Each structure stands twice: as structure tokens, then as C-alpha cells.
Amino acid sequence: MVRTLAVKFCEQHPSKETHVSCSKCGKAICPICMIDTPVGLRCRRCARLKRLPTYQLDGQYLSRAVSVGMVSAILTGVAVILLRNFFPLISFMGLVVLGFVGYFIGELISRGVRRRRGKILKIIAAASVFLSFIIISFGSLYLFGIVDISLYMFLGLGFAVYMAISRF
């Protein structure tokens, strides 16, 4: 006795032939549409795919991230300017100090948004580090007449951005 299976076509992709159906609603699903769940294969609608709460960002978290980023950028910029006044930074030490600035800004933003993650938070952290870099550069120029535009400062900026975005 030979048993033949009825040929079905996926409802989302009518050109795809399939023998699989959703275990909940019974719709024909192709390999592109199927989601493997603990109770069997399901279509996307029945599987109810949701983003992880860690990656869900609403307006409250975004505004908190921006405000914490701006405040931390201003505070770290002023702190580095004052540190420069008392201890002239050797070029390599400037790179290390900017690395700490990036880590500090990234950590404060991360804590401010309760360890949420996402691409927009990386952008906010990088912008905050860049704002801190601008404050350090122009503040040193205005207050002390120090212009430190060197390769080490730009390497330090890149290192600081990396340290800030690695928190997310």
C-alpha cells in the first residue's frame, strides 16, 4: 500500500511547495516561514515572535540615555580639563585617560537605562564621547591655551568610543 501526501503550497510564498503545516492553525508553511517551538512547527503569527525585553527601548529609556550621556560628557570633559591643569598629560597618558572617559560614559548610560541594549544606545554613547572630546579640546584651548590635536588624541578618541559602545 503506497501512501501519497497531498501537495500544499505556502500561504505566504505561493510558489513554495510544502508538506508541513502549522501545529496550531493548520496553515501550510514553507521552511522560510516555519518557526521551531517547543510544541512543534508554527507559522510566524502563531509563534508570536517578540523582541527580548533587553532590546525594547521606549521614549523614557531613550530620553534617559541622552540626558545621562550629556551630563556624563560634560562632567568627564571638565574633569579631564582640570586634570590637565594639574598634571600635564603625556601623549600616551591622554590615550589612556580618554579610554577611561569612554568606559565611564558607557557605564553610566548602561546603568541609566537598566542595562538595556541596542544600536541607538551605541550611537548615543559614541555621540556623548565625541561631545566630551570637544569639551576637552575647546576647554583646554580657551582656559589654558593648550592645543593638543595629535595622533594620540585621535587614537584616544577612537579608543574611548570603542570602550563606550562595548558596554552595549
Side-chain angles (χ1 to χ4, degrees), residues 1-2 5 13 21 23 42 53 70 80-81 84 96 98 109 112 123 125 128 139 143 150 153:
M1 177 181 204
V2 176
L5 296 173
H13 305 97
S21 59
S23 64
R42 292 200 172 173
M70 288 180 63
V80 170
I81 290 171
R84 265 187 140 163
V96 173
L98 284 175
I109 294 173
I123 293 170
S128 299
L143 294 175
S150 66
M153 287 301 284

Side-chain angles (χ1 to χ4, degrees), residues 7-72:
V7 175
K8 300 183 218 172
F9 292 94
C10 176
E11 292 191 20
Q12 295 295 320
H13 305 97
S15 63
K16 300 272 185 183
E17 187 177 314
T18 183
H19 297 287
V20 180
S21 59
C22 175
S23 64
K24 186 172 183 181
C25 67
K27 282 195 316 185
I29 50 176
C30 68
I32 297 170
C33 296
M34 69 177 65
I35 307 293
D36 190 16
T37 65
V39 293
L41 297 173
R42 292 200 172 173
C43 63
R44 293 183 188 275
R45 190 178 48 171
C46 293
R48 293 188 198 135
L49 296 177
K50 295 181 183 177
R51 292 186 69 163
L52 292 173
T54 307
Y55 292 94
Q56 292 178 354
L57 296 169
D58 57 0
Q60 176 187 5
Y61 285 112
L62 290 177
S63 63
R64 191 183 301 171
V66 169
S67 60
V68 168
M70 288 180 63
V71 168
S72 62

Side-chain angles (χ1 to χ4, degrees), residues 89-96 148 150 152-153:
L89 296 177
I90 304 167
S91 296
F92 180 73
M93 278 308 278
L95 187 128
V96 173
D148 188 11
S150 66
Y152 279 112
M153 287 301 284

Side-chain angles (χ1 to χ4, degrees), residues 115-145:
R115 304 288 185 194
R116 298 273 201 255
R117 294 176 178 258
K119 184 185 278 188
I120 190 70
L121 292 176
K122 289 183 179 187
I123 293 170
I124 291 170
S128 299
V129 168
F130 191 69
L131 175 64
S132 180
F133 181 77
I134 290 172
I135 290 170
I136 292 167
S137 299
F138 287 115
S140 297
L141 176 65
Y142 179 72
L143 294 175
F144 309 117

